Amino acid sequence: MITIALSKGRIFEETTPLLAAAGIHALEDPDSSRKLIIGTNREDVRLIIVRATDVPTYVQYGAADLGIAGKDVLDEHGGEGLYQPLDLNIAKCKMMVAVRNDFDYEASIRQGARLKVVTKYVKVAREHFAAKGMHVDLIKLYGSMELGPLVGLADAIVDLVSTGGTLRANNLKAVEEIGEISSRLIANQASFKLNRAQLQPIIESFSTAIKSAVK
Ligand code: PRT
Ligand code: MG
């Protein structure tokens, strides 16, 4: 049995066409079903539905053979025990630093101010500011980072931006790009070696589907 770990929402939606290209069709929609294990048309393939941040953990420990996770999640996890054979080019966005519209980020850097930064990406943020030689106080949040600068919890946020609509709606502006984000196929290293005959055709179908999607 091949187990593929996925999260609901945008990752599941954008993965569905890739699974279809590999001849894999979920028997239920995880957004409406309460089941955590979802069968497919193939008796040897099942999907497990977990939180986006938990996907690398299930794959690392071999509870899933394959998984799909954002580069943001993988960078924060560290990637131990994982192969990352493919960039799926889906769920794309950017990791950005953002501040209030009325905050002069460049001036505060020039003055050597010690900024307070809220984020759920503490590791990524720490490495980014350290590389710039900036001293910051990082405060870990689990969501709604955009609120931090509005209520005096922080000067800046490190978060994902896709359309920019959330920043605009909250009078924030992006001031620095940390990196481009897309979702990656990940594989358990031991399973990848052991079950190569079953996994390789799935990986190849994904790869072909991605190439034909890129215009
Ligand atoms: O939502 P939940 O707390 O259950 O978990 P999650 O947020 O980890 O999962 P999900 O499904 O929201 O995100 C899964 C993956 O999608 C992330 O790990 C990213 O790799 C990718 N992705 C792509 C995004 C976005 N785009 C995105 N825009 N994840 C989150 N956002 C959020 C962002 O954090 C911000 O709050 O959307 C808001 C900004 O969007 P715009 O369009 O207003 O700029
Ligand atoms: Mg979310």
Side-chain angles (χ1 to χ4, degrees), residues 35-205:
K35 284 193 186 161
L36 299 175
I37 301 178
I38 295 191
T40 72
N41 61 312
R42 276 178 54 173
E43 271 182 6
D44 64 334
V45 179
R46 64 177 182 177
L47 310 178
I48 61 172
I49 306 301
V50 304
R51 284 296 289 266
T53 41
D54 291 334
V55 167
T57 307
Y58 279 87
V59 177
Q60 173 186 6
Y61 291 102
D65 306 285
L66 298 176
I68 294 174
K71 182 176 184 294
D72 51 318
V73 167
L74 292 170
D75 286 346
E76 208 55 30
H77 171 272
E80 302 96 275
L82 303 176
Y83 274 135
Q84 297 187 29
L86 274 185
D87 181 348
L88 300 173
N89 216 27
I90 59 168
K92 289 168 79 172
C93 56
K94 287 178 176 167
M95 183 73 74
M96 308 280 280
V97 181
V99 298
R100 271 165 51 165
N101 281 334
D102 59 6
F103 186 84
D104 192 339
Y105 182 67
E106 290 304 325
S108 67
I109 293 176
R110 276 198 305 278
Q111 291 156 13
R114 191 176 178 107
L115 297 186
K116 280 188 288 177
V117 180
V118 289
T119 186
K120 77 176 175 189
Y121 303 102
V122 173
K123 182 167 180 269
V124 167
R126 188 186 301 116
E127 287 166 6
H128 172 73
F129 292 112
K132 289 188 57 137
M134 279 172 68
H135 293 284
V136 297
D137 292 316
L138 292 169
I139 301 169
K140 165 103 184 176
L141 287 180
Y142 292 87
S144 303
M145 272 75 79
E146 293 88 355
L147 188 58
L150 305 181
V151 295
L153 182 61
D155 305 299
I157 72 172
V158 167
D159 194 13
L160 303 174
V161 178
S162 46
T163 62
T166 306
L167 292 184
R168 275 195 299 280
N170 292 293
N171 299 313
L172 301 173
K173 59 182 177 188
V175 286
E176 209 159 68
E177 179 177 328
I178 298 181
E180 306 250 0
I181 303 293
S182 56
S183 288
R184 312 296 161 101
L185 180 67
I186 57 174
N188 175 273
Q189 285 181 352
S191 166
F192 190 73
K193 289 181 194 133
L194 215 63
N195 302 311
R196 208 175 179 125
Q198 276 174 294
L199 298 182
Q200 200 62 42
I202 297 176
I203 296 172
E204 270 161 29
S205 304

